[in-house]
């Protein structure tokens, strides 16, 4: 959905709901107030007339003058249809209005006794037609419906306006983003007026600048590598992807292996494991060319990982050394019941190897990968190193 449609879909029902709630409250309140007012009018008319008749010695008849005065007073009461004196022992006397009952289903009736408890003379019944009230309520309902429709239109217009403004900002921000990544940084940002879109465009501009700088730096590096590339540098670059740093656990032993410094192209490592056994081999293969040494290292890794756990490890190691021109090799094999002890296997210079073993002897509790980090900083050796230690325990 578009932004305009989403905003309109939310604002129109919201505005109409608010208008409906307010209209319903207004209708209920007005109806209650009008009903109370009619009841009060009918009661006032009945009580006043009852008091007027109670003061006369004979409540059966009114003189023409009194009847006229009563009619003029009743004229001030809107909707007063009839006023009847109801007596238990005599016929009813119609004081105002027609003798027949009022022909309306909206009649409000109020009564008041005439006389006293010792001298009851009957009851005054005042009847008021509330049809005008319901007509006013009907007009009020019509106005409320118009109000709800108007609120929906206002919500639609407001939603369209907000959606149009936000869409315009987003479209301009998108154009700015495209221009940033296309290198056209001289775009007008004054058209953006919403703070969030301004922040977004600024952030994307920084991203585009960083990306272009990174791409430019990569282009320079690639151009430099193209000019200065030789067989040895190519082998070193490819070997890093073939032998990445390793950190894992196998058969109760933690293993960390890494190539450090200016490692020879023929250096390799191999890790083999199954449910019961595991083995680690590090070595260096020879070759007339760096590419041949790397090819031997890759073949030796595949051979040892596939075969070291199948049969006699000594014979497999001896066959691999002959087949792949392995000049230096160190290995360790263990089973799950007897994990390997904490130790270092390194193909460094003799001096660096002695220092590495001495550092390990002073810090036997270090985790294998942390130990390699320390040796890389302290010794700056060149070669391959594998460190074995007890597997980590989860508390």
């Amino acid at each position: 959905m578009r932004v305009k449609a989403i905003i309109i879909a939310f604002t129109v029902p919201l505005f109409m709901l608010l208008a409906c709630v307010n209209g319903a409250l207004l209708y209920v309140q007005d109806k209650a107030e009008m009903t109370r007012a009619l009841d009060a009018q009918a009661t006032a008319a009945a009580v006043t007339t009852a008091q007027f008749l109670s003061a006369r010695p004979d409540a059966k008849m009114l003189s023409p003058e009194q009847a006229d005065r009563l009619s003029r007073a009743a004229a001030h009461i809107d909707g007063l249809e009839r006023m009847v004196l109801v007596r238990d022992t005599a016929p009813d006397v119609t004081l105002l209005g027609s003798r027949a009952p009022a022909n309306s289903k909206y009649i409000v009736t109020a009564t008041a006794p005439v006389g006293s408890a010792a001298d009851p003379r009957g009851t005054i019944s005042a009847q008021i037609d509330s049809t005008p009230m319901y007509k006013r309520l009907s007009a009020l309902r019509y106005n409320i419906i118009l109000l709800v429709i108007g609120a929906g239109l206002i919500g639609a217009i407001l939603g369209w306006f907000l959606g149009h403004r936000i869409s315009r900002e987003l479209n301009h921000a998108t154009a700015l983003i495209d221009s940033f990544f296309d290198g056209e940084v001289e775009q007008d940002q004054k058209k953006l007026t919403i703070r969030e879109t301004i922040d977004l465009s600024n952030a994307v501009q920084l991203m585009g600048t960083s990306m272009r700088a990174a791409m430019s730096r990569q282009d320079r590096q690639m151009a430099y590598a193209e000019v200065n590339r030789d067989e040895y540098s190519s082998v070193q670059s490819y070997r890093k992807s073939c032998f990445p740093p390793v950190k894992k656990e196998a058969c109760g032993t933690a293993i960390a292996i890494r190539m450090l410094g200016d490692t020879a192209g023929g250096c390799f490592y191999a890790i083999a494991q199954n449910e019961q056994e595991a083995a680690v081999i590090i070595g260096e293969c020879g070759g007339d060319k760096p590419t041949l040494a790397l090819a031997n290292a890759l073949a030796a890794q595949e051979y040892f990982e596939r075969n070291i756990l199948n049969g006699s490890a000594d014979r497999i190691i001896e066959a691999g050394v002959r087949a792949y021109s392995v000049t230096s090799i160190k290995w360790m094999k263990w089973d799950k019941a007897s994990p390997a002890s904490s130790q270092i296997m390194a193909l460094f210079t003799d001096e660096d190897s002695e220092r590495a073993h001495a550092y390990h002897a002073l810090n036997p509790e270090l985790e294998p990968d942390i130990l390699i980090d320390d040796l890389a900083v302290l010794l700056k050796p060149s070669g391959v190193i594998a460190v074995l230690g007890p597997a980590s325990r989860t508390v």
Side-chain angles (χ1 to χ4, degrees):
M1 295 180 66
R2 299 179 64 87
V3 175
K4 291 180 183 178
I6 294 174
I7 295 178
I8 291 175
F10 276 97
T11 55
V12 171
L14 178 61
F15 274 64
M16 295 184 72
L17 176 62
L18 293 175
C20 286
V21 172
N22 291 330
L25 293 176
L26 178 62
Y27 179 82
V28 171
Q29 182 179 2
D30 280 4
K31 183 177 181 181
E33 291 180 353
M34 289 181 183
T35 302
R36 285 195 299 269
L38 286 176
D39 290 339
Q41 282 184 341
T43 301
V47 170
T48 302
T49 305
Q51 292 296 324
F52 178 72
L53 294 179
S54 297
R56 289 177 50 76
D58 185 6
K60 297 179 180 180
M61 297 297 293
L62 294 175
S63 65
E65 181 182 357
Q66 291 171 338
D68 182 64
R69 289 165 57 189
L70 183 62
S71 298
R72 288 201 306 270
H76 294 285
I77 302 175
D78 294 335
L80 182 62
E81 293 288 328
R82 296 179 71 221
M83 190 175 297
V84 181
L85 174 62
V86 180
R87 295 175 295 182
D88 295 334
T89 58
D92 296 344
V93 177
T94 302
L95 302 178
L96 290 174
S98 64
R99 296 183 179 274
N103 186 20
S104 175
K105 61 180 179 179
Y106 301 115
I107 294 298
V108 177
T109 303
T111 60
V114 179
S116 63
D119 181 23
R121 302 180 185 181
T123 302
I124 291 295
S125 174
Q127 299 177 354
I128 294 180
D129 187 7
S130 60
T131 300
M133 180 192 76
Y134 284 95
K135 289 182 179 180
R136 287 194 291 269
L137 290 177
S138 178
L140 179 61
R141 286 197 298 268
Y142 178 75
N143 291 334
I144 291 174
I145 293 174
L146 293 180
L147 177 64
V148 172
I149 296 174
L153 292 176
I154 293 174
I157 295 172
L158 181 61
W160 180 88
F161 174 75
L162 293 176
H164 176 72
R165 182 174 179 183
I166 294 175
S167 298
R168 183 183 62 185
E169 293 277 332
L170 291 177
N171 291 334
H172 190 62
T174 302
L176 286 175
I177 292 171
D178 293 339
S179 67
F180 292 154
F181 284 100
D182 291 339
E184 301 174 4
V185 296
E186 298 299 331
Q187 292 289 329
D188 185 15
Q189 287 184 287
K190 295 181 179 179
K191 295 181 180 180
L192 298 178
T193 57
I194 300 178
R195 178 63 180 272
E196 286 74 10
T197 55
I198 295 174
D199 294 341
L200 175 63
S201 64
N202 291 334
V204 173
Q205 184 178 9
L206 292 176
M207 291 172 58
T209 303
S210 300
M211 186 191 71
R212 287 192 299 272
M215 293 178 64
S216 178
R217 182 170 58 254
Q218 184 178 8
D219 291 340
R220 291 194 300 269
Q221 291 174 350
M222 292 179 65
Y224 177 82
E226 185 71 25
V227 173
N228 298 277
R229 179 179 298 171
D230 56 13
E231 184 178 0
Y232 177 78
S233 62
S234 299
V235 168
Q236 290 293 335
S237 298
Y238 184 67
R239 182 184 55 76
K240 291 180 181 179
S241 62
C242 296
F243 298 100
V246 173
K247 178 186 177 183
K248 64 182 301 184
E249 293 184 3
C251 295
T253 300
I255 305 169
I257 306 177
R258 200 177 304 174
M259 303 284 186
L260 299 179
D262 190 14
T263 308
C267 286
F268 71 92
Y269 62 76
I271 303 174
Q273 71 176 106
N274 55 31
E275 294 182 356
Q276 299 299 326
E277 294 180 303
V280 172
I281 303 103
I282 62 172
E284 181 179 352
C285 297
D288 296 336
K289 295 181 179 180
T291 52
L292 180 58
L294 178 59
N296 286 333
L298 294 173
Q301 181 191 43
E302 181 182 1
Y303 170 78
F304 287 126
E305 289 181 347
R306 187 176 64 249
N307 297 289
I308 190 65
L309 300 181
N310 301 321
S312 173
D314 292 331
R315 290 199 302 269
I316 293 171
I317 292 293
E318 183 180 355
V321 169
R322 290 196 306 267
Y324 303 108
S325 302
V326 178
T327 57
S328 300
I329 190 169
K330 292 184 179 182
W331 61 281
M332 181 65 187
K333 183 179 179 182
W334 67 94
D335 57 35
K336 191 173 183 180
S338 302
S341 60
S342 181
Q343 59 183 286
I344 287 181
M345 296 186 295
L347 296 181
F348 297 157
T349 62
D350 293 340
E351 182 179 0
D352 287 340
S353 295
E354 291 177 1
R355 291 179 177 177
H357 283 86
Y359 186 80
H360 178 249
L362 293 173
N363 302 277
E365 301 298 328
L366 286 178
E367 294 183 6
D369 59 319
I370 297 178
L371 181 64
I372 294 178
D373 290 337
D374 292 349
L375 294 176
V377 174
L378 296 173
L379 304 181
K380 295 183 173 57
S382 294
V384 57
I385 180 174
V387 180
L388 308 180
S392 61
R393 296 179 180 178
T394 302
V395 180

